[in-house]
Amino acid sequence: MSDAVEVFLDAMPGETRGMVFRNGYPEHLLIERDSDVPQHRLGARCVGRVTEVNAGLRGAFVDLGAGDPAGFLPLAREAPVRNGDRIAVEVTAEPRDGKGPVLRLTGAGEGTPRLLEAGPDVAARLATLAPGVDVETGLAAISAGHEAVEAALGMTTVIPAIGLDLAVQRTRALVAVDIDHAPLAGRDARKGRDQANREGLVQAARLIRLKRWGGLVVVDLIGTGQDGEMILRTAKAAFGGDPAVVIGPVNRFGVLSLSLPWRLRPIEAVLGRTLEDRALDTVRALRHRLLEDTATPRLTAVCPPDEAAVAAPLVARLGPRAALRAQTGLLPGTARIEED
């Protein structure tokens, strides 16, 4: 039976979100903001200037004309670039954890460091992730975005029907996945364990994609003495589709290890609850009410002054029915919508 795939696009002033749901669960969350540095976006093509060739790191730091952090170009043993060279590069991984974007050399460059071609936008990437699927917008997309964000920032998934309790957490060194199982009365414990392991791998892969994590992933499976071939087949299907994914065997402790490529900024870095995040939440809440309530002549978002200062130019783009008022004394993130 084929998967049921839903695609949503929520485009508003200041931010665009794209969501892919599979069988009712959010699987991909794409976020593009007006404040993003275009030279740092996945797929961006730039002219850069080599500022340092670092033999110890086997790479070069590249000025992309966007300030710090500089891009990093991995190099083979024979470095094809020298300090001061102008080169053409493509972003293969976005900045994370204080590190600049990872680059791929595409040729020689000329002139000052600058953006040559922006990376694919949210709509284009949705078309790649779910080709041929109709895209839903409006209120449905806003709701889907809220659901996807909540799931992306969460750490656990529970599926009572099969007794699955899954935890996915990221440390500085790795992503830890713990698959746990509560046996159900009247069901074969061994079959239940195998089913929970299979579904746990599927859900872990979905959550890691949703969170946009990469690196070393360690999965603590239920019990020991698993069917290693079954686990590997399930893991390849769940995490597969990318030649950069490396999956190791299940060890004698019932632990599966794999390596995933980093490509996008991790979701917790994008949704950091900053002033910009709160202002965008206010704009989204106002837009939601405008779409939901088409009869009221004017709707006003009331929020703290610092949030209002950031939100004001975005609210102005929502049209004549949208208004904004700053009110001192409100706690951060406590905006409300009022009818005029």
Side-chain angles (χ1 to χ4, degrees):
M1 183 172 60
S2 61
D3 293 340
V5 179
E6 300 171 283
V7 178
F8 302 90
L9 180 65
D10 176 24
M12 72 170 200
E15 182 183 86
T16 298
R17 291 181 178 180
M19 290 70 61
V20 178
F21 280 60
R22 192 175 302 275
N23 297 325
Y25 292 100
E27 185 171 55
H28 294 280
L29 173 59
L30 310 176
I31 299 177
E32 181 180 300
R33 290 179 173 173
D34 292 355
S35 60
D36 290 344
V37 178
Q39 291 96 322
H40 291 174
R41 188 174 298 159
L42 183 67
R45 302 175 71 87
C46 307
V47 167
R49 179 178 63 86
V50 178
T51 59
E52 178 189 352
V53 177
N54 190 308
L57 296 177
R58 297 184 64 178
F61 292 97
V62 181
D63 173 16
L64 301 175
D68 293 331
F72 181 75
L73 175 66
L75 297 173
R77 191 174 300 276
E78 296 296 329
V81 301
R82 296 172 298 177
N83 286 348
D85 282 355
R86 263 63 173 182
I87 56 176
V89 293
E90 180 181 346
V91 175
T92 60
E94 295 180 348
R96 61 178 176 86
D97 301 334
K99 302 174 183 176
V102 179
L103 310 172
R104 179 176 69 88
L105 182 66
T106 60
E110 296 181 352
T112 59
R114 67 196 185 278
L115 179 70
L116 292 177
E117 182 181 349
D121 63 12
V122 170
R125 291 178 57 203
L126 287 176
T128 300
L129 291 170
V133 179
D134 291 338
V135 178
E136 297 187 55
T137 59
L139 289 171
I142 295 174
S143 298
H146 286 314
E147 183 178 347
V149 166
E150 183 177 357
L153 295 178
M155 295 295 178
T156 61
T157 293
V158 177
I159 303 180
I162 61 173
L164 172 65
D165 186 351
L166 173 71
V168 180
Q169 297 177 310
R170 180 185 169 215
T171 71
R172 290 177 58 184
L174 51 81
V175 175
V177 177
D178 180 34
I179 303 175
D180 203 359
H181 178 231
L184 302 176
R187 295 191 184 182
D188 184 280
R190 175 60 183 263
K191 291 182 178 179
R193 186 195 74 174
D194 290 346
Q195 183 183 14
N197 275 330
R198 288 194 300 269
E199 187 62 26
L201 285 169
V202 171
Q203 294 299 328
R206 176 186 66 81
L207 283 173
I208 290 170
R209 280 192 290 272
L210 188 65
K211 294 172 179 292
R212 296 130 63 107
W213 289 348
L216 177 64
V217 178
V218 177
V219 183
D220 183 11
L221 299 159
I222 303 165
T224 57
Q226 294 93 351
D227 181 343
E229 289 300 318
M230 179 273 290
I231 293 294
L232 288 178
R233 285 195 305 271
T234 303
K236 288 177 181 178
F239 291 94
D242 188 328
V245 175
V246 179
I247 303 177
V250 180
N251 68 20
R252 63 192 180 95
F253 301 108
V255 174
L256 173 71
S257 298
L258 53 141
S259 176
L260 305 178
W262 279 103
R263 292 215 168 87
L264 298 171
R265 287 180 67 202
I267 200 66
E268 66 272 19
V270 178
L271 301 173
R273 302 312 307 155
T274 63
L275 175 60
E276 182 185 25
D277 291 322
R278 299 195 299 273
L280 288 169
D281 285 345
T282 296
V283 177
R284 182 172 293 101
L286 179 57
R287 179 169 173 266
H288 185 278
R289 281 289 302 274
L290 289 167
L291 292 174
E292 187 178 52
D293 178 1
T294 58
T296 301
R298 193 171 176 85
L299 293 167
T300 300
V302 182
C303 62
D306 57 346
E307 296 173 20
V310 178
L314 306 177
V315 169
R317 292 161 55 187
L318 291 176
R321 296 179 58 230
L324 181 69
R325 186 173 75 250
Q327 180 175 315
T328 59
L330 290 180
L331 294 175
T334 58
R336 64 180 187 274
I337 311 300
E338 295 181 350
E339 297 180 7
D340 286 356

